[in-house]
Amino acid sequence: MSVSPLGPPEQSKGIKIKDAALYPVRGHVIPSSKIDISNGVYLEGKRIPLYSGSMHYWRIERTLWSETLDKIKEMGFSIICTYIPWSVHEVRRGEFDFGEIKPEKDLLSFFSLCREKGIYLLVRPGPHINAEITYFGYPKRIFADYELLSRSADNTLVFLPTPPRMFPVPSYASEKFYQEVGVYFDALCPILKKHLYPEGKIIGIQADNELSLFFRTDPYDHDYSQGAIDLYYRFLKEKYGDIKKLNEVYRSNYPHFSSLLPPQEFKAKKKEELPYYLDWAEFKEYY
């Protein structure tokens, strides 16, 4: 069966459904997993290939937006993607510039212009965006609060050595970090909501971009912050259910999950020792 959340199944050939797990979308029941969008999506009765140009509105003078969008359309694109950098819009914590101070940051006007020109949008609000922008879109103040930052096995900060300036990477196990992101998203999401399809042209939103543990993917590189270790214990409890089952697999005698310290380097010499290290590697996917 081929369906689209925006049209009846018999008309939709761009999204192919291959699995079960049903849920309703706009009156239709479609499977929620393994959605093939390689042939595009159906919007307003037309198949739209998922190819896009990229336009960083905040790097372009407001007076040049219209001309730039026209040139993108002339190249054959009906979709553009754009980052929405936290650091670009934050003036100070809890205060944001969405065009009130600098016209090139007027997000609502940019979205409205895309709607006028019939251009669909894929937006990337971060908080991590890369985009060759300093600090990858995080406000510099984030790095001054150690509760928000990742730790190495010896409890030192973990840096991403990338130009133009290296920075200590945030911990995605820090609840305080999510609270800070929430302040930004609380300001941004009402703007996005106004322009979600079909009222607007936003057809997709991507959280983060090229994150991959900040390109530091060695299992023992990080994160050993307290928040990450607490998350590790939760992962083990969800996987094994109770400490007795873990002890059977590990051939150990831990009294509880929190008495188990995470591995800091690979030291297994026998196959019986592997589960301890493999669980830590699996936890990195859970993280």
Side-chain angles (χ1 to χ4, degrees):
M1 177 178 68
S2 297
V3 303
S4 165
L6 306 171
E10 63 273 13
Q11 294 180 353
S12 306
K13 299 179 181 179
I15 299 180
K16 298 178 181 178
I17 306 303
K18 298 180 179 179
D19 213 347
L22 302 180
Y23 70 99
V25 176
R26 288 183 177 264
H28 303 303
V29 176
I30 66 173
S32 62
S33 59
K34 296 185 179 179
I35 297 178
D36 180 2
I37 55 175
S38 58
N39 292 321
V41 294
Y42 269 76
L43 299 169
E44 300 173 6
K46 299 180 293 184
R47 185 179 70 85
I48 308 296
L50 280 180
Y51 296 100
S52 71
S54 185
M55 178 174 170
H56 299 174
Y57 59 91
W58 77 95
R59 285 172 163 156
I60 302 173
E61 290 184 21
R62 168 81 176 268
T63 56
L64 298 177
W65 282 357
S66 182
E67 178 184 351
T68 303
L69 289 171
D70 288 341
K71 290 184 180 297
I72 291 173
K73 287 192 71 174
E74 288 173 7
M75 289 189 288
F77 293 105
S78 57
I79 304 174
I80 65 166
C81 65
T82 189
Y83 298 106
I84 307 174
W86 182 2
S87 61
V88 165
H89 289 285
E90 182 177 276
V91 178
R92 59 186 60 86
R93 188 182 190 277
E95 183 179 338
F96 299 88
D97 176 14
F98 289 111
E100 297 85 358
I101 301 173
K102 295 185 177 180
E104 66 271 18
K105 299 181 182 182
D106 189 345
L107 202 54
L108 270 173
S109 293
F110 179 69
F111 289 162
S112 295
L113 185 60
C114 290
R115 181 174 58 195
E116 291 172 15
K117 293 182 178 292
I119 296 175
Y120 299 104
L121 284 154
L122 302 173
V123 297
R124 296 169 166 181
H128 174 285
I129 68 163
N130 198 335
E132 287 66 52
I133 190 172
T134 305
Y135 308 131
F136 283 20
Y138 295 106
K140 189 176 180 180
R141 66 176 182 82
I142 293 296
F143 311 126
D145 189 338
Y146 280 23
E147 290 185 52
L148 308 180
L149 304 178
S150 181
R151 294 292 196 283
S152 67
D154 59 3
N155 201 35
T156 58
L157 297 180
V158 179
F159 283 81
L160 178 62
T162 184
R165 294 179 182 175
M166 68 170 62
F167 61 90
V169 304
S171 169
Y172 272 57
S174 166
E175 287 300 321
K176 191 173 182 180
F177 171 71
Y178 287 107
Q179 291 170 10
E180 291 295 336
V181 175
V183 174
Y184 163 52
F185 279 1
D186 283 347
L188 174 63
C189 285
I191 297 174
L192 299 182
K193 184 178 179 180
K194 290 180 181 179
H195 283 271
L196 292 177
Y197 187 88
E199 285 74 19
K201 290 295 184 179
I202 296 175
I203 60 172
I205 299 175
Q206 175 188 341
D208 279 324
N209 176 61
E210 300 180 15
L211 185 58
S212 188
L213 291 171
F214 296 91
F215 312 117
R216 303 191 59 153
T217 54
D218 185 304
Y220 310 103
D221 193 72
H222 73 117
D223 179 9
Y224 291 87
S225 66
Q226 188 57 55
I229 292 174
D230 290 342
L231 190 63
Y232 171 58
Y233 295 147
R234 190 173 83 183
F235 160 76
L236 292 174
K237 188 172 183 179
E238 289 180 7
K239 179 172 182 176
Y240 291 102
D242 61 66
I243 194 65
K244 291 181 180 179
K245 188 172 182 180
L246 178 142
N247 282 327
E248 290 175 5
V249 174
Y250 284 16
R251 301 187 180 188
S252 57
N253 192 31
Y254 294 108
H256 40 74
F257 290 107
S258 60
S259 59
L260 173 65
L261 296 178
Q264 298 184 4
E265 59 180 317
F266 186 78
K267 293 183 177 181
K269 296 181 179 180
K270 299 181 293 184
K271 65 179 182 180
E272 292 81 5
E273 297 172 341
L274 286 175
Y276 170 57
Y277 298 95
L278 293 176
D279 276 349
W280 178 250
E282 184 181 342
F283 164 67
K284 292 309 178 79
E285 295 295 323
Y286 179 92
Y287 176 99

